[in-house]
Amino acid sequence: MKHDPALSGKLIDGKAIARRLTDRVKAEAEALRERTGKIPGLAVVLVGDDPASEVYVKNKAIQTHRAGMRSFMHMLPETTSQDELLELIERLNADPQIHGILVQLPLPRQIDPILVTNAIAPHKDVDGLGEVNAGRLSLGIDGLVPCTPLGCLMLLKETLPDLRGLHAVIIGASNLVGKPMAQLLLKEGCTVSVGHIDTRDPRGLAREGDILVVATGKNGLVRGDWVKPGATVIDVGITRIALPDGKTRLVGDVAFDEAAPVAGHITPVPGGVGPMTIACLLHNTLQAARAILDHASPDHKAS
Ligand SMILES: Nc1nc2c(c(=O)[nH]1)N[C@@H](CN(C=O)c1ccc(C(=O)N[C@@H](CCC(=O)O)C(=O)O)cc1)CN2
């Protein structure tokens, strides 16, 4: 994606913000090691050979090492049964070297993702997708918060001095992003609207947002005339598209070239929300390790 230099003041630099967060996590993981003699450990489980997922889990392992934490990778074949995956999760739940567990999504058809995420011990559920952590978030109680919406919130807080009273419109109501994002923004005092597949006039709804978070998986869905002038736009979508010359490039759910001139601030793809997802995973792993190793309550500040 080409970025007009005139737009550079509008760009929310997720890469830089993620780097700062990772540096903080690294320093705090080192302090935890000095205090307890223990190193935070993250287990990531990938079932199958989806190429995008393979890239994400490899990047997670690299970043985990960079943050001074231990990475445990479990790469399972596409044919893995649900019971085999549940047995692995049980072992990871009981393993004292592991403080965080993440099962990469999507999972093959024979495996129920809700059943699997609920099998992860709530205090090791660094994806925050299990019913205990999801329930905590919906009640406004501290817990482990899903990484992508947590990263989006951090980007918004870096960009806007006060979220209170702003109208936040979220397009997409997934368990992974849209629903937890709504809960987080409600907690920040935003007025929150969530658009989904059956919303009659998504463009009209989007245009009302002082904050517009888009997480649909439909590349280029949000056009320039969906954006309220001056709005802060957070694009969660990442799709790899083929170009006529045979190369590929990553694009978001927002038609960047149309939306950026209208927006007050906007995240690019790549380099926006994506890097924050991994940085927040490290942040959550540190939170989980602290709660376990410092014998603190599993309830803790998520940001
Ligand atoms: N269990 C989970 N599964 C999935 C999650 C999740 O949070 N938990 N999120 C997504 C994928 N994802 C992390 O798993 C993820 C997506 C994108 C990036 C990222 O850094 N993107 C870069 C571009 C990387 C590239 O070159 O392909 C960017 O946007 O700049 C990190 C993590 C679905 N599954």
Side-chain angles (χ1 to χ4, degrees), residues 120-205:
I120 298 171
H123 63 287
K124 295 191 179 186
D125 173 23
V126 285
D127 236 352
L129 298 175
E131 59 197 16
V132 170
N133 283 303
R136 283 183 178 157
L137 183 59
S138 74
L139 293 172
I141 302 169
D142 290 334
L144 290 162
V145 174
C147 304
T148 300
L150 180 58
C152 294
L153 180 64
M154 289 180 183
L155 294 178
L156 285 168
K157 285 185 164 179
E158 288 269 341
T159 309
L160 297 168
D162 192 6
L163 303 184
R164 198 153 292 280
L166 296 180
H167 187 184
V169 174
I170 300 158
I171 304 291
S174 65
N175 290 339
L176 191 61
V177 184
K179 286 181 200 160
M181 187 79 249
Q183 303 288 0
L184 284 172
L185 289 170
L186 267 178
K187 204 171 167 192
E188 293 299 321
C190 292
T191 300
V192 179
S193 303
V194 182
H196 48 77
I197 192 87
D198 295 317
T199 295
R200 297 233 170 106
D201 178 16
R203 185 184 77 99
L205 178 66

Side-chain angles (χ1 to χ4, degrees), residues 56 60 102-105 127 148 238 240 250 270-271 274-275 277-278:
Y56 299 144
K60 284 173 184 179
L102 177 143
V103 177
Q104 188 67 28
L105 300 174
D127 236 352
T148 300
I238 305 175
R240 187 170 290 281
L250 294 176
T277 296
I278 296 187

Side-chain angles (χ1 to χ4, degrees), residues 1 4 18 20 28 40 46 56 65 96 110 116 118 121 135 165 176-177 192 219 234 245 250 258 266 284 300:
M1 174 173 303
D4 181 343
R20 289 205 297 274
E28 289 172 27
L46 174 64
Y56 299 144
H65 286 299
Q110 72 275 17
V116 164
N118 279 333
L176 191 61
V177 184
V192 179
N219 64 287
I234 306 290
D245 63 4
L250 294 176
E258 290 182 15
I266 186 165
N284 280 355
H300 46 256

Side-chain angles (χ1 to χ4, degrees), residues 247-277:
K247 292 185 180 157
T248 63
R249 90 177 153 102
L250 294 176
V251 294
D253 291 354
V254 177
F256 183 89
D257 292 343
E258 290 182 15
V262 186
H265 295 93
I266 186 165
T267 56
V269 177
V273 172
M276 290 302 291
T277 296

